[in-house]
Amino acid sequence: MTTNRVTFIDTMRGFSLFGILMANLLIFQFGMYGNDELKDLSALDHGAWYFVKIFIEGSFMPIFTILFGFSLIKLIESIRRKKNKSRWSILRRATGLIAIGWLHSTFLWEGDILFSYGFMILFLIPFINRKPKTLFIWAGIFLLLITSLSLFDSAEKTKKEQKEIASYVEKADNVYANGSYLDIYDFRANALPPGMDDAGLVFFLLIFLAPMYTTSLTLFGMGLAKKQAFVNMEDEKKWYKLGALLVPIGLACKSLSFIESNFSGMLLTGGSELLAVGYVCLAALIYKTRPVQRLAPAFESVGKLSLTNYLMQTIICTTVFYGYGLGLYGKLGVFGGILFGIVVYSLQCVFSLAYFKKFKRGPFETILRVWTNWSWNGQIKIKQKGSTLHE
């Protein structure tokens, strides 16, 4: 069992943050609901919108999810090498992510993912000690379940629902573009989106349905970690070539989802996850090539600082686009937003490379590590005896 970090995983995590930023820029610029209702776009912005929707949105977050499952198993293996029990470390990891996610979504941005990831760890506890084959089977079951549930998302909205959404989007656009920090905070806290005024439904979506949507690929990542994937990459090329075939299949499914039908939601959900797996396999296939190796250290550094860089993306983008900052909400356009995202991410690459010349871990990574390991120096306390999660 190797004790070294799998550099490909850090590199892919950094790359996934680039895609996440590209997708989130539609939300930062046009709102959680408004980014799907854009009108009067130029030909350039229209093409850029379709590019983001098909090639990026919904497929880079699943990549991050695969890597999250992979890293969770590596974390548990690391803990168990140094002490017998891992139960409390896992629970603290989960609560730490829940706390950071709650603070992030409450005070900065409603598009947070950390909260759901924290609850997902709790949901995954029964699977931690399962064999890779079992994890892959359950991953397939959850994929089929979630894809099937997407059929219910394809129902056409009534005129009343469309009017309510349009009214909400108009209010949101005005508040985010012109409001103060307190105005935006108050809007997020009190102006619930249409259909989300049922507290029970909101609780169900946050606590159960949101983690379930990411469980499939998390289990897949956990299985890959247990199989020691991406360690001997030359020996796995045949699998990468096979998996890379999912890229055109996923792109085709997502493209077809834009044709209104009863299967649009299913094609979008299934295609997004297949494309994510295809991207990982394609990246693994070209990882050792010279051009990629030249860029890999930058992506790897961003990946090692993934929590800090993710939160910094929120701070930067809300400051640039919201009314209490530069007030550029909706003004850059979709294509301009992509260029802005490339600049922000490039700066994060430079910052991350420079940061690791002086420090070993990022500030938020350190906080989470201290809490997870329950020690001020962030190191795992070595113990000889103790219980485990049914090891």
Side-chain angles (χ1 to χ4, degrees):
M1 182 181 298
T2 181
T3 60
N4 297 323
R5 292 181 72 105
V6 182
T7 57
F8 173 74
I9 295 299
D10 286 323
T11 303
M12 278 304 298
R13 189 182 294 109
F15 182 62
S16 69
L17 279 179
F18 173 71
I20 290 171
L21 175 61
M22 291 294 105
N24 284 346
L25 275 167
L26 287 179
I27 302 174
F28 284 123
Q29 275 212 89
F30 305 106
M32 189 69 72
Y33 288 78
N35 78 89
D36 287 323
E37 308 290 336
L38 300 182
K39 300 177 181 178
D40 301 322
L41 292 177
S42 67
L44 182 61
D45 278 345
H46 199 67
W49 184 84
Y50 271 108
F51 173 81
V52 172
K53 290 289 183 178
I54 294 174
F55 284 85
I56 297 177
E57 188 178 85
S59 293
F60 276 78
M61 190 64 74
I63 293 176
F64 196 84
T65 302
I66 294 172
L67 305 178
F68 180 81
F70 191 101
S71 299
L72 179 63
I73 291 298
K74 291 302 178 183
L75 171 67
I76 293 169
E77 289 176 350
S78 176
I79 293 171
R80 290 176 176 176
R81 280 194 298 268
K82 297 176 182 179
K83 63 178 185 178
N84 287 335
K85 64 179 181 179
S86 58
R87 179 188 296 122
W88 292 110
S89 297
I90 296 168
L91 293 176
R92 284 193 295 269
R93 187 77 168 187
T95 57
L97 286 173
I98 290 171
I100 295 173
W102 178 80
L103 291 171
H104 181 218
S105 61
T106 301
F107 297 103
L108 288 176
W109 186 52
E110 67 271 31
D112 171 76
I113 61 169
L114 301 175
F115 188 89
S116 293
Y117 273 64
F119 270 101
M120 184 168 59
I121 292 179
L122 302 177
F123 184 79
L124 293 171
I125 286 177
F127 297 97
I128 286 174
N129 295 294
R130 303 287 77 84
K131 295 179 180 179
K133 182 179 179 181
T134 304
L135 294 174
F136 292 143
I137 290 173
W138 275 105
I141 291 172
F142 277 109
L143 176 61
L144 290 175
L145 176 62
I146 294 303
T147 303
S148 299
L149 287 175
S150 301
L151 281 171
F152 297 100
D153 294 335
S154 301
E156 189 173 336
K157 295 182 178 66
T158 65
K159 289 185 177 180
K160 181 182 178 182
E161 289 172 331
Q162 291 175 340
K163 187 176 181 180
E164 289 175 346
I165 291 174
S167 176
Y168 175 83
V169 169
E170 183 178 356
K171 292 177 182 177
D173 286 348
N174 181 58
V175 171
Y176 286 119
N178 306 304
S180 66
Y181 174 82
L182 291 178
D183 290 333
I184 294 173
Y185 176 85
D186 181 70
F187 181 82
R188 285 203 310 266
N190 299 304
L192 295 176
M196 300 293 284
D197 50 354
D198 185 338
L201 175 62
V202 173
F203 181 81
F204 175 76
L205 291 175
L206 286 176
I207 306 303
F208 294 102
L209 197 57
M212 188 181 295
Y213 264 90
T214 54
T215 296
S216 172
L217 293 182
T218 310
L219 291 172
F220 181 66
M222 291 167 64
L224 291 176
K226 293 202 171 193
K227 294 287 287 184
Q228 299 296 315
F230 310 119
V231 176
N232 300 308
M233 299 185 72
E234 288 298 323
D235 299 334
E236 299 173 343
K237 274 195 171 182
K238 62 179 181 180
W239 296 108
Y240 303 156
K241 291 178 181 178
L242 188 62
L245 295 176
L246 294 176
V247 172
I249 295 173
L251 290 174
C253 289
K254 291 182 75 174
S255 299
L256 290 172
S257 73
F258 284 90
I259 301 174
E260 289 295 332
S261 72
N262 292 332
F263 301 100
S264 295
M266 186 174 67
L267 286 169
L268 181 61
T269 300
S272 296
E273 300 213 347
L274 291 177
L275 183 58
V277 176
Y279 277 156
V280 172
C281 293
L282 179 60
L285 191 62
I286 65 174
Y287 180 63
K288 295 295 184 179
T289 60
R290 184 174 296 179
V292 173
Q293 282 298 301
R294 288 179 178 176
L295 295 173
F299 288 122
E300 183 183 343
S301 296
V302 173
K304 288 181 179 178
L305 282 173
S306 58
L307 180 57
T308 295
N309 279 317
Y310 171 70
L311 295 173
M312 285 304 301
Q313 286 177 0
T314 294
I315 293 170
I316 292 169
C317 291
T318 52
T319 301
V320 168
F321 293 111
Y322 288 179
Y324 59 79
L326 299 181
L328 295 180
Y329 187 88
K331 295 180 180 179
L332 288 185
V334 181
F335 183 74
I338 291 175
L339 296 180
F340 172 77
I342 292 173
V343 171
V344 169
Y345 187 81
S346 298
L347 291 175
Q348 287 192 308
C349 287
V350 173
F351 165 79
S352 299
L353 285 167
Y355 184 90
F356 278 113
K357 291 181 179 180
K358 292 188 176 182
F359 305 98
K360 290 179 63 177
R361 299 180 189 89
F364 290 101
E365 285 79 5
T366 298
I367 293 171
L368 186 58
R369 185 183 177 90
V370 166
W371 174 249
T372 299
N373 295 329
W374 198 242
S375 63
W376 285 112
N377 61 7
Q379 300 300 314
I380 298 172
K381 296 178 181 178
I382 300 176
K383 293 182 180 180
Q384 298 301 320
K385 297 181 179 182
S387 62
T388 67
L389 282 163
H390 309 292
E391 291 179 26

